[in-house]
Amino acid sequence: MEELYFSWKDQIMDIVRRWGEVGVPGKYHVIGVLGMGGSGVVGDYLAMLSSLRGGLPVIVSKSHLLPRTISSDDLVFAISYSGNTLETRLAVDKALRIGARIVVVSSDGLLEKLAVEKNIPFVGVVKGVAPRTALPSMLFAILSVLDASGLGVVSRGEAEGVAGFLDDVMRDAMNTAYDIADFIESSRGLLIIAGHSPWEALLIRGKNEFNENSKIPVKVDVAPEWMHNDIVGYEKPYRFPACVLAVKDPGDDAGSRLVDFMIDTYKGLGYPVKVLELRGASDLEKLMYGSLVMGLASVRLARMRGLDPLATESIHRYKSMVNEIFGV
Ligand code: PA5
């Protein structure tokens, strides 16, 4: 599975070569992103980038429901790596019914079929990998459509630069990832991923990676909101073993000081702490670096525990029952 992360640069370059092939120019109020799990988190990344770079507001919906805030005046990305995820398909049906402008992003499946049948713009992504490892392909596919639609927050040139950056930092990312995996395996407690705004999406992505690849539960703590509720929960916790991966953007002094404040609390409770500093010259590079390190660390941790990082048995069990659950 490691090689799927090593080839992230190629995923980006594949999209760069097809940059702008699909565009949906228009006047939209918001951008909706409908998707679940490793696909849905791409919406969180887009929301972060759009918010930092002054793009349109992004509404991410990880649900079978369609938020009423999305209307026929809006652009909606239906994103599902397999193209078959029921919740995403149910939400897409609703978006079709209200007449929103839809773009499908997937590698295959029923959503691709729907796009062909209904003449919906479609961007195909890298085939034959685990959904969560297709993060760059799915993210840059959406960024390319937005750029071609006059709504861009990332240009083709920047995308190409990120591919080169990932190549440059790959060895460092791997070493850092292995250190983190050693740290978590030796601590053997609940993993807390702690960080600061505006990196919420990355912290959630890290959680998902350790859930799915390493098969462990993870708690996410985000400052400064943490200072207004979670912090009190650490005053008198039921005793449990825990360890903390603290994620900092070294270019953000206040953010780093917030995380230092959190670290004091964790250390006071005896939780071991490991710091991950985000590398990169831009928010996008830092996002990709953090995603790469936590992805590789989660795979490494699975190997150390004798587990198959690729297998997600319980998701398959859920998916085998999902039609029955939703009554379709
Ligand atoms: O990473 C994974 O394998 C999962 O989180 C999937 O992304 C999730 O189950 C949704 O499936 P898909 O991405 O095919 O829509």
Side-chain angles (χ1 to χ4, degrees), residues 35-40 79-86 88 111 130-133 138 205 208-209 212 310 312 315 319:
M36 307 298 296
S39 299
I79 177 159
S80 165
Y81 181 75
S82 63
N84 292 328
T85 299
L86 183 66
T88 310
L111 280 176
R132 52 198 175 279
T133 65
M138 294 191 281
R205 162 78 185 183
N208 295 351
E209 289 283 79
E212 294 187 61
L310 260 179
T312 47
I315 296 181
K319 286 188 177 176

Side-chain angles (χ1 to χ4, degrees), residues 50 64 79 97 110 114 147 172 194 218 222 231 247 264:
S50 205
H64 56 294
I79 177 159
R97 246 179 277 140
L110 293 169
L114 179 84
D147 198 32
D172 162 86
V218 180
V222 192
I231 186 173
V247 181
D264 280 349

